[in-house]
Amino acid sequence: DILLELLKKANNNLSSASRGIIFLDEIDKKSSSNSTNKVDEIGSGSVQDELLKLLEDGEYVINLGTTILPNYKTISTKNITVIASGAFTELLEKRGKPAKTIGFKNNHSSKETTPITTEELYQFGLKKELLGRLPNIIELNPLTEDDLIQILKNKNNQTLEEKKHLLNELGITLSINDTTIKQIAHNAFKKNTGARGLIGSVEAVFKEPMTLISQEPNDYQELVLEPVTKENPKGYRLIKKNNQI
């Protein structure tokens, strides 16, 4: 299935797909140490075995058609780059290190720590055969508040863009300034869950105004998000079509 998706991303171009990149997120969730019982442990092991096949240099036949009208293509995995990522929170906590999310290490870091080893990942529950085909281990720094701000401002990020699109469908303009974005990022940063924290922080900001809009969807022309202050504890203003607030 993974190779099939890669081929589709390459517009069914075998040459491009055979030099593609496969990113496997949350690989730590597939370790046996994250299994709560024997059945889960066996399941985690079987997933690792299947991923092992993907990392082996070989040729695989993929059906781009249907059962009735098959369209078989052969793809080689020899030159496909596979990147596996994970938070490995429990492993880092055992080492007395803070859980990390994403961001390359700073060479000027004040705390030099011993790199994570293959043996530690094996003890964590990843198979040696799998680790042997993922030879490069790179540790990443946690996201900063500035990183979270940049993510929110990125047009390719759907956290805010989805809200804008939904409001536009109702004929409502969304106004949000940099100070408000910084406050949302700050609230997300305090959760210490990386970029995932942005989703909850954005939802918290939109919850009350979106509830009011849903009750009278045709009455409003603009939603203005502002920093939460003593003067403006709600952190938003809803402007009706007759310019009333």
Side-chain angles (χ1 to χ4, degrees), residues 6 11 13 19-20 23 29 34 37 40 55 69 118-119 121 127 174 186-187 222 227 237:
L6 177 65
N11 296 320
N13 186 310
R19 300 190 308 275
F23 188 90
K29 300 295 192 297
N34 276 295
N37 54 52
D40 289 341
L55 293 167
L69 297 173
T118 301
E119 181 61 27
L121 293 173
K127 292 191 173 185
L174 174 64
H186 177 71
N187 293 335
E222 185 177 6
R237 289 183 293 120

Side-chain angles (χ1 to χ4, degrees), residues 3-194:
L3 291 174
L4 179 60
E5 287 301 314
L6 177 65
L7 196 53
K8 288 180 179 179
K9 290 286 185 180
N11 296 320
N12 295 337
N13 186 310
L14 280 172
S15 178
S16 296
S18 63
R19 300 190 308 275
I21 300 172
I22 295 173
F23 188 90
L24 304 172
D25 195 12
E26 297 190 339
I27 191 68
D28 52 319
K29 300 295 192 297
K30 302 306 176 187
S31 71
S32 56
S33 66
N34 276 295
S35 304
T36 55
N37 54 52
K38 194 66 178 178
V39 174
D40 289 341
E41 186 175 341
I42 294 172
S44 297
S46 63
V47 170
Q48 290 189 52
D49 288 336
E50 292 301 320
L51 292 176
L52 186 60
K53 294 179 183 179
L54 180 67
L55 293 167
E56 293 173 341
D57 296 343
E59 294 186 344
Y60 296 84
V61 177
I62 299 174
N63 182 14
L64 294 178
T66 63
T67 305
I68 300 175
L69 297 173
N71 178 20
Y72 296 109
K73 298 289 183 181
T74 302
I75 182 172
S76 172
T77 61
K78 183 178 181 180
N79 296 313
I80 291 177
T81 300
V82 178
I83 301 171
S85 76
F88 293 96
T89 305
E90 293 179 7
L91 173 58
L92 293 170
E93 287 175 349
K94 287 179 182 178
R95 291 179 117 234
K97 298 170 69 173
K100 300 181 179 182
T101 48
I102 191 168
F104 287 104
K105 274 196 165 186
N106 189 331
N107 292 329
H108 304 290
S109 176
S110 59
K111 293 184 179 180
E112 293 297 330
T113 55
T114 306
I116 297 291
T117 65
T118 301
E119 181 61 27
E120 285 180 296
L121 293 173
Y122 168 66
Q123 294 296 332
F124 185 75
L126 296 179
K127 292 191 173 185
K128 285 187 175 180
E129 296 85 354
L130 188 68
L131 293 169
R133 288 170 173 79
L134 294 168
N136 301 311
I137 302 173
I138 301 172
E139 294 186 59
L140 308 174
N141 278 335
L143 291 170
T144 65
E145 281 193 43
D146 287 339
D147 293 328
L148 296 177
I149 291 170
Q150 293 306 313
I151 291 172
L152 282 174
K153 289 184 175 181
N154 192 322
K155 296 295 182 181
N156 294 322
N157 181 275
Q158 296 301 307
T159 311
L160 278 178
E161 292 302 314
E162 287 182 355
K163 299 297 184 184
K164 289 181 181 179
H165 178 73
L166 178 60
L167 289 168
N168 286 338
E169 290 289 315
L170 298 172
I172 300 172
T173 303
L174 174 64
S175 297
I176 178 170
N177 58 30
D178 287 347
T179 305
T180 307
I181 289 178
K182 288 180 181 179
Q183 191 173 73
I184 294 173
H186 177 71
N187 293 335
F189 181 76
K190 290 191 296 184
K191 297 178 181 179
N192 196 31
T193 56

Side-chain angles (χ1 to χ4, degrees), residues 217-231:
N218 299 317
D219 289 0
Y220 300 101
Q221 66 177 8
E222 185 177 6
L223 168 61
V224 181
L225 294 181
E226 300 173 330
V228 175
T229 61
K230 290 182 179 179
E231 294 75 22

